[in-house]
């Protein structure tokens, strides 16, 4: 029995309208009929009032702490419709654990892993008709937690709200699996040593937006950040990790040493690469080395990865004084074969030999 008490939506989206919305969902634009809510209070009350309620506006006081000081963390994971009719998620416990680590860094209370899992199962069960069936589509789940106390003094909030909303999605980039162009921001940084870079908090994404706008202005879909100390090494993209495939078949990616997000998709792909007997090196990757490697052919492929991005080939890297194509501009061979393998596991087409998928419905 779920601890999330259901308050059914009095007027859910009619089936025909829902079917039209599920035809070609644009990332992050459509939301299901329900959402999860729970509240935490300091002073012993802890987490309480676990509910599944109609999706709708929140009523917040203008002094709500998160609106002023960004004490907020979130997660992103997906539910997939399988050929056998079941609905499964992928490594949700890893997201639950990262959610707890992010909460600790932002002085927010930890949500027990069991409650995180229960909240996803409860929402997906009630809104299961919203899980799309088209190729490459899924139900994106967005758990988040924010400081909901009405107080503008600067300290950890004494009241916190947990919510989960769900959104049917297709590919994150409008070109689908077409290679994306990346703008390298050599002036702004996303995170520094000792900061919040490893936490999945809204502030990190807010810090990326000026650079993301510059990327668009230069005809690029995403921005790549460099380290904040020397501005010489790759860190991560605005909303995803980055991986470099060398011509010798080995794979290099920046280590998760505190300033970049510990991507669940990143670690899964690295495991799949290791399973193939290929070498994975988590090491600092210099921008100069990458550019030289792209020009000489020592670097064969570059891809972005994340829950939203899945595996997205990179076709071009541009910055203030360079503009370099990756390979011949077409999706790389290893990139595409990793995309096929990862999505094969996620959608139940390939054997899940690592036990990464869990049935929700
Ligand atoms: C995710 O991949 O889940 C993220 O949170 C990143 C964002 C681009 C949606």
């Amino acid at each position: 029995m779920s601890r999330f008490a259901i308050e059914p939506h009095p007027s859910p989206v009619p089936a025909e309208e829902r079917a039209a919305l599920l035809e070609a969902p644009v990332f992050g634009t459509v939301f299901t009929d329900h959402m999860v809510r729970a509240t935490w209070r300091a002073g012993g009350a802890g987490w309480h009032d676990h509910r599944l309620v109609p999706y709708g506006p929140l009523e917040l006081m203008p002094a709500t702490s998160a609106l002023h000081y960004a004490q907020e963390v979130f997660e992103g994971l997906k539910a997939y419709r399988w050929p056998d009719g079941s609905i499964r998620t992928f490594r949700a416990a890893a997201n639950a654990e990262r959610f707890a680590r992010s909460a600790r860094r932002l002085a927010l209370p930890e949500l027990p892993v069991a409650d995180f899992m229960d909240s996803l199962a409860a929402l997906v069960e009630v809104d299961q008709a919203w899980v799309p069936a088209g190729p490459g589509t899924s139900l994106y789940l967005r758990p988040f937690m924010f400081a909901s106390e009405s107080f503008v003094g600067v300290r950890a909030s004494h009241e916190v709200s947990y919510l989960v909303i769900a959104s049917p999605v297709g590919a994150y980039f409008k070109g689908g699996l077409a290679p994306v162009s990346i703008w390298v921001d050599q002036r702004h940084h996303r995170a520094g040593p000792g900061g919040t870079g490893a936490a999945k908090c809204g502030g990190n994404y807010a810090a990326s937006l000026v650079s993301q706008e510059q990327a668009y202005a230069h005809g690029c879909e995403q921005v790549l950040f460099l380290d904040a100390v020397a501005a010489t090494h790759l860190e991560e993209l605005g909303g995803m990790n980055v991986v470099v495939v060398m011509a010798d078949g080995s794979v290099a990616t920046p280590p998760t040493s505190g300033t970049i997000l510990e991507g669940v998709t990143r670690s899964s792909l690295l495991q799949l690469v290791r399973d193939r007997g290929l070498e994975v090196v988590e090491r600092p990757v210099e921008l100069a080395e990458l550019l030289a490697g792209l020009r000489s052919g020592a670097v064969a492929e570059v891809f972005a990865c994340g829950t939203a991005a899945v595996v997205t080939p990179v076709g071009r890297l541009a910055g203030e004084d360079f503009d370099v194509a990756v390979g011949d501009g077409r999706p790389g061979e290893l990139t595409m074969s990793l995309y096929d393998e990862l999505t094969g596991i996620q959608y139940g087409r390939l054997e899940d030999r690592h036990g990464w998928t869990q049935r929700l419905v």
Side-chain angles (χ1 to χ4, degrees), residues 17 29 38 41 79 157 184 254 257 270 275 277 310-311 318:
E17 204 179 309
T29 56
R41 266 196 199 87
S157 183
V184 183
S257 47
L270 297 186
D275 291 350
V310 193
V311 179

Side-chain angles (χ1 to χ4, degrees), residues 27 74-77 98 140-142 172 200 205 222 238-240 261 265 305-310:
F27 190 93
F74 69 97
E75 270 304 324
L77 66 168
R98 187 174 64 187
Y140 184 76
L141 302 170
R142 172 53 66 87
Y172 184 73
K200 199 159 177 67
Y205 294 77
Q222 269 281 304
M240 44 210 79
L261 191 77
T265 307
C305 60
T307 298
V310 193

Side-chain angles (χ1 to χ4, degrees), residues 171-300:
Y172 184 73
F173 293 105
K174 65 173 187 295
L177 274 174
V180 293
S181 298
I182 302 292
W183 174 254
V184 183
D185 190 336
Q186 291 159 281
R187 281 194 268 177
H188 303 101
H189 300 282
R190 174 187 167 276
T196 58
K200 199 159 177 67
C201 63
N204 291 340
Y205 294 77
S208 77
L209 298 179
V210 157
S211 311
Q212 182 61 46
E213 289 302 306
Q214 281 178 10
Y216 291 143
H218 287 92
C220 297
E221 285 92 345
Q222 269 281 304
V223 57
L224 170 65
F225 289 100
L226 301 177
D227 72 281
V229 176
T232 49
H233 293 81
L234 316 191
E235 292 248 296
E236 68 176 284
L237 308 187
M240 44 210 79
N241 294 114
V242 62
V243 178
V244 177
V245 182
M246 313 305 282
D248 66 8
S250 68
V251 164
T253 193
T256 52
S257 47
T259 52
I260 72 172
L261 191 77
E262 295 165 0
V264 176
T265 307
R266 172 190 179 280
S267 82
S268 309
L269 290 168
L270 297 186
Q271 183 61 51
L272 296 180
V273 173
R274 285 189 195 101
D275 291 350
R276 294 173 182 212
L278 297 173
E279 190 189 3
V280 172
V281 199
E282 296 183 61
R283 61 160 174 94
V285 179
E286 276 197 40
L287 176 63
E289 175 203 341
L290 176 60
L291 295 177
L294 288 172
R295 290 181 177 120
S296 72
V299 170

